[in-house]
Amino acid sequence: MNLKPKHQRMALLGVALVALVGAVLLAMWGLRSQASYFYVPAQVESDPPEIGQNIRLGGMVKEGSLGQAADGVTITFLVHDGEAQVPVRYRGILPDLFVEGSGVTAEGRFAPDGTFDADTLLAKHDENYVPRELEEMTAAQAKATVAETSE
Amino acid sequence: MIAELGLLALWLAAGLAAFQLVAAILAGRGAPVLGEATRPVAVMQGLLAGFSFLMLVWLFARTDLSVALVVENSHVAKPMIFKLSGAWANHEGSMLLWVMVMALSGALVALVEKRLSPATMRATLGAQAIVTLGFYAFLLISSNPFERLPVPAEQGNGLNPLLQDIGLAFHPPTLYIGYVGLSIAFSFAVGALLTGEVTRDFARTMRSWVLGAWIFLTIGLTAGSWWAYYELGWGGWWFWDPVENAALMPWLAATALFHSTSVLASRDALRVWTIMLAVVAFSMAMVGTFLVRSGVLTSVHAFAVDPERGTFLLGLLALFIGGALVLFALRAGGISEGARFSWKSREASLVVNNVLLTALLGIVLLGTLYPLLTEALGTRVSVGPPYFNPVGAAFFFPLVLAMMVGPMLRWKDSNWAPVAKRLAPAWATIVVILVFVLIEGTAGWLSALGLALAGGLAVASLLPLAGRKPWRAPLQLWGMVIAHFGLALTLFGSSSESAFIQERLVSVAPGDSAEVGGWTVTLEKTRPVVGPNWTAIEGDVRISDGERDYVSLHPQRRSFWSPPQTTTEAALWTRWNGQLYVVLGEKGDGSTRKLRMWWKPFVPFIWYGGLLVALGGLLALLGHARSALRRSIGLRRAAARRETV
């Protein structure tokens, strides 16, 4: 195939454009269908995600709710945001800074029994760094607590 | 005094950068004396920035507690190596390191580069001065590393324990050197746009710098992934975290860039495209830095989060990139077209490589920024592996095919039939592996395809050596063979891990055993141990295959006291065909502990491959340097001959 330089340039540009537009379309499709959405317990209550759909759940670990199943490796606890709460089940080793009363982001999906099965728990990373989702959570939680106690 | 000396040197260096810029501009308007001055000024500026950085390291070595940065990031009771690395394991120090590398590279360009015309050289040094000035301003205005405390502290806060690791002491500097190398490529591109001289010599000059930057980026990515794997204790090696993507994107752009500079250097084609890529590559380094430093994205390992700095970086980003794009729009039309070529040629395959790499870059960039865009619209989204893996594979797998075919094609024009035939062993490998994996039946289609293509690429990458005497093959060819083979290893390691990984999570009392991947893992006992600035619970974990004992592993849970934090030290045991990964968990009821174990088949290949890729780059760089030397000796001899005649 012998094209004139100008035509070759146009053809090249065409191929590159098609590939890039393809990449963008594929990316948008992927983002629409695959991205896991971030939920807080109140949203779960008002607009529940589908069972089995990958989502992120964020909130505070409810004080006194941390429990261990009989198999010795499954942890259960409640995540709340001051308005609603959701039971969470996690098989694995707890992150180092995971404590009751502190913020957590869990990745996973809802099981048919209404429990959230978490694959991954993200707790506070270190003294300086808190996931942004949790930062606001703490503020919202503080507000809610103040509202509760001042009533 | 030391802090003041460091700060003074920094101001002087910034002043020299400003002078370098003015001199470059005036020289372009007819003041040749000033043009002569740009080179020595660039060298002096590099030395001063280096001196300033040394002063900071000295402050950290002495743990000078009257300096705010030392107090925040160091502690008297810390091992010396981490006192030193504490100098750059924080925002201010790492930016000073960045500026120092940038200024020293500018000095090196001024000292060694002789291939460019004086005008392009001046314009390049001028552009480099602008970029460096931006970063000097950033340091001096918003992140002064030498700030004193009104009252000296008593002992210091310590360094984040996750950063007290030999991997992390050297991982960021490696990446920065890579980023900075891209800034040099960017300056070359701006210089060439200003003078309109996009020549093969320009491509050769830029190629060395891009290749150098790319080698460091490759090492940085490999080391970062290895660090995350063994230090974070969650058993993964790539998270598609924004911070990781921030390092991956410049790597993708740099990979495309040095391939396109090769086309420009060998065949004088792709002129405008190469310039554009150089701008994109440095933009990606800047975007990455902005994402990591500004805290606009949620990341497991973002640090130094500060909106003010984010704004400053965004301003710099807009200034540099916007300026370069405007210049590009004004000048690109004036750059004449290069040579044309056939669709069946080495050049064409490299164009395919460039298009696919750019598409991959776009996919990663979109996935990284998407949560930011939707959050602005009020929806919270997190994008992870379910997006990146399949969408990325859709472009990465064709890229692997291009890597198999491209090196077999000749420049200018080639024939398909003999190439396809020579590749027969690679096609056969792909089919055999696919059949084997499908019979095995446990792997998903992504990892099955990954394994097959990895095998095909491993074979295909060696084929260009076939029929040659290995010791006669040029270093550049060896570089390509080794780098492509290394990528095949990485792909093989990662696909094999996701296809055949085995995991166990158990609660065990001392003396209890569990099985994983054919190994019997026994927790013998746990005991307290003490380190220089931490205490830990350590497990004695015996590994056997049911008949004989192989090794004892010692996973730990460490508690640091300054700052108070717990870290997980996973225990790894490497065999030729895989790795056993053991993590000690928290205490359960009674004397039980959780134990999480993975058998990860061929996982170390991921990092061996990464190192081979970097080694390939190094060989290619040496090869190019050698031929450049030969060419200049040849030119000198020819000139001498002309004189004698």
Side-chain angles (χ1 to χ4, degrees), chain B residues 177-192:
Chain B
I177 294 173
Y179 287 174
V180 169
L182 293 182
S183 87
I184 303 274
F186 173 82
S187 302
F188 279 132
V190 172

Side-chain angles (χ1 to χ4, degrees), chain B residues 13-184:
Chain B
L16 282 181
F19 178 71
Q20 184 177 328
L21 173 61
V22 174
I25 293 172
L26 291 181
R29 296 174 177 270
V33 187
L34 283 173
E36 298 281 309
T38 48
R39 283 189 190 241
V41 165
V43 174
M44 200 55 217
Q45 183 210 329
L47 291 178
L48 278 169
F51 176 80
S52 178
F53 182 73
L54 276 184
M55 291 302 104
L56 186 69
V57 174
W58 193 1
L59 289 173
F60 270 85
R62 295 176 26 154
T63 320
D64 187 329
L65 293 171
S66 67
V67 175
L69 192 66
V70 179
V71 173
E72 277 159 30
N73 296 287
S74 196
H75 192 276
V76 278
K78 208 165 61 165
M80 182 48 101
I81 176 74
F82 297 127
K83 280 189 183 172
L84 296 183
S85 69
W88 60 81
N90 58 73
H91 169 75
E92 287 84 354
S94 65
M95 287 324 289
L96 181 58
L97 172 71
W98 172 300
V99 159
M100 176 197 71
V101 180
M102 198 173 246
L104 282 177
S105 314
L108 197 62
V109 170
L111 277 176
V112 303
E113 281 305 345
K114 306 276 194 263
R115 283 174 284 197
L116 294 181
S117 75
T120 307
M121 190 66 194
R122 265 198 322 267
T124 299
L125 285 177
Q128 185 68 11
I130 297 183
V131 176
T132 325
L133 258 181
F135 281 93
Y136 281 129
F138 185 37
L139 263 178
L140 292 169
I141 295 170
S142 93
S143 343
N144 175 14
F146 294 106
E147 198 176 308
R148 294 259 190 203
L149 286 175
V151 183
E154 276 175 18
Q155 51 176 7
N157 292 343
L159 176 65
N160 179 350
L162 285 172
L163 300 179
Q164 294 194 31
D165 181 89
I166 200 73
L168 250 254
F170 294 101
H171 159 62
T174 331
L175 276 181
Y176 290 169
I177 294 173
Y179 287 174
V180 169
L182 293 182
S183 87
I184 303 274

Side-chain angles (χ1 to χ4, degrees), chain B residues 192-553:
Chain B
L193 273 176
L194 285 170
T195 57
E197 293 171 2
V198 185
T199 59
R200 294 173 68 177
D201 272 336
F202 161 78
R204 291 199 185 99
T205 308
M206 185 148 95
R207 177 170 59 188
S208 306
W209 285 90
V210 176
L211 208 46
W214 181 81
I215 294 166
F216 278 101
L217 288 177
T218 309
I219 296 175
L221 275 179
T222 309
S225 150
W226 168 241
W227 171 79
Y229 174 76
Y230 80 79
E231 176 67 24
L232 295 182
W234 52 279
W237 59 278
W238 193 263
F239 199 65
W240 291 112
D241 181 274
V243 173
E244 294 169 347
N245 294 347
L248 178 66
M249 291 187 288
W251 185 87
L252 289 170
T255 312
L257 180 56
F258 83 75
H259 283 102
S260 84
T261 55
S262 272
V263 176
L264 185 52
S266 314
R267 294 276 299 125
D268 205 11
L270 302 185
R271 289 179 176 172
V272 176
W273 172 249
T274 302
I275 296 280
M276 186 67 204
L277 260 188
V279 174
V280 167
F282 180 56
S283 312
M284 286 303 129
M286 289 285 297
V287 166
T289 313
F290 166 69
L291 290 180
V292 175
R293 305 281 169 145
S294 63
V296 292
L297 285 174
T298 305
S299 157
V300 253
H301 32 217
F303 70 115
V305 169
D306 179 346
E308 186 203 334
R309 289 169 188 159
T311 316
F312 205 116
L313 275 171
L314 199 61
L316 280 187
L317 186 82
L319 185 70
F320 296 157
I321 310 314
L325 289 180
V326 168
L327 188 65
F328 185 84
L330 292 177
R331 292 300 188 108
I335 294 169
S336 58
E337 283 169 37
R340 66 200 171 106
F341 48 86
S342 145
W343 292 105
K344 300 166 292 186
S345 65
R346 176 79 68 85
E347 300 89 303
S349 79
L350 286 170
V351 168
V352 171
N353 142 314
N354 265 244
V355 169
L356 290 175
L357 279 168
T358 315
L360 271 173
L361 178 61
I363 283 165
V364 178
L365 185 65
L366 265 177
T368 311
L369 294 182
Y370 191 71
L372 206 62
L373 298 176
T374 59
E375 195 168 326
L377 301 173
T379 327
R380 277 230 172 90
V381 165
S382 37
V383 180
Y387 161 74
F388 286 107
N389 288 344
V391 178
F395 287 82
F396 182 66
F397 288 167
L399 182 65
V400 173
L401 284 176
M403 285 170 74
M404 290 167 61
V405 177
M408 311 298 284
L409 295 169
R410 284 198 312 253
W411 296 108
K412 287 186 188 173
D413 206 353
S414 208
N415 273 327
W416 284 125
V419 170
K421 210 167 148 191
R422 280 179 70 195
L423 279 167
W427 308 134
T429 313
I430 291 182
V431 172
V432 168
I433 294 182
L434 262 186
V435 169
F436 173 80
V437 175
L438 290 179
I439 290 173
E440 186 79 8
T442 56
W445 66 271
L446 265 187
S447 25
L449 259 180
L451 281 168
L453 284 173
L457 178 60
V459 173
S461 61
L462 298 176
L463 290 177
L465 285 175
R468 277 174 179 269
K469 295 198 174 72
W471 58 92
R472 300 289 295 274
L475 271 179
Q476 290 94 318
L477 180 67
W478 270 106
M480 180 186 75
V481 166
I482 289 179
H484 285 188
F485 187 77
L487 196 80
L489 280 193
T490 297
L491 179 58
F492 180 76
S494 58
S495 308
S496 163
E497 195 223 1
S498 57
F500 306 119
I501 191 168
Q502 296 189 37
E503 185 189 345
R504 273 305 286 283
L505 173 69
V506 289
S507 166
V508 283
D512 289 352
S513 297
E515 303 256 343
V516 67
W519 302 101
T520 306
V521 180
T522 312
L523 178 68
E524 308 238 270
K525 59 174 186 291
T526 56
R527 59 162 177 268
V529 288
V530 182
N533 52 347
W534 44 265
T535 56
I537 295 295
E538 183 176 280
D540 264 358
V541 177
R542 182 161 48 86
I543 311 297
S544 74
D545 63 359
E547 290 171 12
R548 113 183 156 80
D549 291 348
Y550 281 84
V551 71
S552 251
L553 299 181

